[in-house]
Amino acid sequence: MDDLTTLARHHLDQAKADPHGRSAHLFLHDGPLRQSVIAMVSGCELDEHNAPPAASLQVLHGHVRLTGGGDRLDLIAGQVQELPHERHGLRALEDSVVLLTAVTATHGCPTPYENATTA
């Protein structure tokens, strides 16, 4: 069993020491399910990247900005948000730690993108 509070503190310390200002750790990997803690110092950005079939972002500490498709959404500690299915990025507006939960495959259950392309 992992303790999210301990992981968050540890990786925020790691991010502060990292030249890129971030630290991440995949702590749960069960079939298509992945959970990772990502720590970022204020001003650090994760450039836009592709989205998995399903994912959510929960802010454990701090304040982040989720961007994608021309939109932006600010999230603070305690908030959770479904990730957009299009390319998206993340910026730490202050020292922050997030919990990323992702499903990397969906057998027999098409993603919204797959539904849109087959309709």
Side-chain angles (χ1 to χ4, degrees), residues 79-99:
Q79 293 182 317
V80 63
Q81 175 67 39
E82 175 184 343
L83 289 180
H85 294 284
E86 63 269 352
R87 291 178 58 81
H88 60 276
L90 188 68
R91 178 180 177 82
L93 300 178
E94 59 186 57
D95 291 353
S96 300
V97 183
V98 298
L99 171 64

Side-chain angles (χ1 to χ4, degrees), residues 51-79:
S56 68
L57 192 71
Q58 179 180 356
V59 182
L60 302 175
H61 173 81
H63 183 185
V64 298
R65 177 169 292 148
L66 181 62
T67 60
D71 295 328
R72 67 184 213 185
L73 178 64
D74 286 5
L75 301 166
I76 59 171
Q79 293 182 317

